[in-house]
Amino acid sequence: MSSTEASVDKYDAVRKDIVKAFPDEDYDDGSFAPVVLRLAWHASGTYDQNKKDGGSDGATMRFKAEAADGANAGLDVARNFLEPIKAKHAWISYADLWTLAGCVAVEHMGGPHIEWTGGRRDSQAEAENPPINRLPDGALGKDHVLDVFVGRMGFTVQETVALIGAHTVGRCHSNRSGFEGPWTETPTRFSNQFYKQLLNNQWVEKKWDGPRQFVDAEDGELMMLPTDMALLEQPFREYVDLYAKDKQKFFDDFAAAFLKLVELGVSKRGKL
Ligand code: HEM
């Protein structure tokens, strides 16, 4: 067996254990996959292309400052969920495990396969300037989305729209982010529903004592963040129209953009 084949086998065992653990009737909509996907994104989404720091390498959310960053509230659920997997496969780094688990989550929910590769290492000590207060604020608008995704992380506008399409799964929790509700009626199924709902529903501001968010005018069951609504504007809009019509194109673009996300700032030392 070549060394490449051997390493594929090694990760396959981890993949299988993650998939086996995802379903849980008592948690949210019946699966830990959405919150695990969010962990992979938040671990990676701190990357700064100008400062050349942040990103998934190092698994720096293991340390206090980043774990306590307000944007990461609730991600202890995902980190704890992965602990037994880490205990069983002690050789894998947290940085690889968290990003691999996010990719496995997408595929497990019916989304595209992501060509993840390993090689990230865990930092042994917290950096003096941990990458905090960098993740996007859902209450803001178009300029903020452009600053964070295009300006700081280095994505194109199209990649940005593809990535935010991950809101097709999961939900907001008022005791984590302050926002409340799911984006689609199928929160454990990865599809292009997010774009369809965004375009086809009438969205009204939710009247409540919480942060500014939108709900569908019909029965108020579904939600959108102000940053999601910003995708209806230029320069994003044409890609929302495209992905609402063409699920395969969304899957292809999401797979490529998500791989780029989990590899931001990763030097792939000793690529496995
Ligand atoms: C402007 C960009 C974004 C903003 C402002 C944003 C904000 C949020 C907020 C406020 C929540 C609710 C958290 C909670 O209360 O539990 C959430 C959930 C989620 N986000 Fe995002 N997000 C953004 C982009 C992304 C991207 C790029 C991805 C992945 C590629 C992603 C994946 C998810 C997932 C899967 C959930 C559901 C988590 C769960 O069900 O527990 N988001 N996001």
Side-chain angles (χ1 to χ4, degrees), residues 41 61 88 95 115 120 125 131 167 173 192 203 226 249 251 260 267:
W41 137 239
M61 207 195 292
K88 184 168 170 192
E115 289 291 330
R120 295 164 193 75
H167 284 169
H173 307 77
N192 61 343
W203 298 100
K249 177 72 176 145
F251 276 23
K260 179 170 163 181
S267 53

Side-chain angles (χ1 to χ4, degrees), residues 172-188:
C172 295
H173 307 77
S174 54
N175 60 350
R176 297 181 186 174
S177 60
F179 299 98
E180 183 57 39
W183 290 266
T184 68
E185 279 157 13
T186 48
T188 59

Side-chain angles (χ1 to χ4, degrees), residues 27-29 33-38 41-42 71 73-75 109 135-139 144-145 148-149 160 162-167 169-181 183 187 225 227-228 254 258 261:
Y27 178 72
D28 262 11
D29 301 292
V35 75
V36 164
L37 170 54
R38 187 165 197 241
W41 137 239
H42 278 211
L75 289 183
M109 291 188 281
L135 292 160
D137 179 347
H144 178 62
V145 177
V148 170
F149 282 83
T160 303
L163 285 170
I164 296 174
H167 284 169
V169 293
R171 59 169 58 242
C172 295
H173 307 77
S174 54
N175 60 350
R176 297 181 186 174
S177 60
F179 299 98
E180 183 57 39
W183 290 266
L225 299 166
T227 45
D228 299 316
F254 182 85
F258 196 73
L261 173 68

Side-chain angles (χ1 to χ4, degrees), residues 15-63:
R15 287 173 185 276
K16 282 196 184 111
D17 284 337
I18 296 169
V19 164
K20 230 188 286 168
F22 274 144
D24 185 334
E25 275 181 19
D26 297 327
Y27 178 72
D28 262 11
D29 301 292
S31 174
F32 281 93
V35 75
V36 164
L37 170 54
R38 187 165 197 241
L39 173 65
W41 137 239
H42 278 211
S44 311
T46 55
Y47 181 68
D48 187 321
Q49 63 172 344
N50 302 308
K51 295 184 185 147
K52 300 266 181 292
D53 64 4
S56 65
D57 214 3
T60 49
M61 207 195 292
R62 282 153 46 248
F63 301 109

Side-chain angles (χ1 to χ4, degrees), residues 97-230:
L97 178 61
W98 292 353
T99 50
L100 173 62
C103 296
V104 171
V106 170
E107 195 171 354
H108 171 69
M109 291 188 281
H113 176 74
I114 294 155
E115 289 291 330
W116 178 94
T117 56
R120 295 164 193 75
R121 291 183 194 168
D122 295 338
S123 305
Q124 293 313 312
E126 178 149 15
E128 263 177 48
N129 294 308
I132 54 173
N133 300 324
R134 291 187 182 181
L135 292 160
D137 179 347
L140 299 180
K142 167 181 135 173
D143 292 346
H144 178 62
V145 177
L146 289 170
D147 283 351
V148 170
F149 282 83
V150 181
R152 178 169 56 71
M153 287 191 275
F155 287 107
T156 64
V157 168
Q158 181 159 6
E159 287 169 333
T160 303
V161 176
L163 285 170
I164 296 174
H167 284 169
T168 199
V169 293
R171 59 169 58 242
C172 295
H173 307 77
S174 54
N175 60 350
R176 297 181 186 174
S177 60
F179 299 98
E180 183 57 39
W183 290 266
T184 68
E185 279 157 13
T186 48
T188 59
R189 186 97 204 125
F190 197 94
S191 70
N192 61 343
Q193 268 300 318
F194 168 81
Y195 306 106
K196 292 187 175 176
Q197 298 291 349
L198 188 59
L199 290 174
N200 298 335
N201 278 331
Q202 196 198 330
W203 298 100
V204 294
E205 258 191 62
K206 184 176 168 87
K207 297 206 174 23
W208 72 327
D209 196 16
R212 183 163 179 260
Q213 70 168 68
F214 294 80
V215 286
D216 70 280
E218 208 170 302
D219 57 13
E221 293 292 313
L222 303 181
M223 69 90 62
M224 287 288 160
L225 299 166
T227 45
D228 299 316
M229 295 298 288

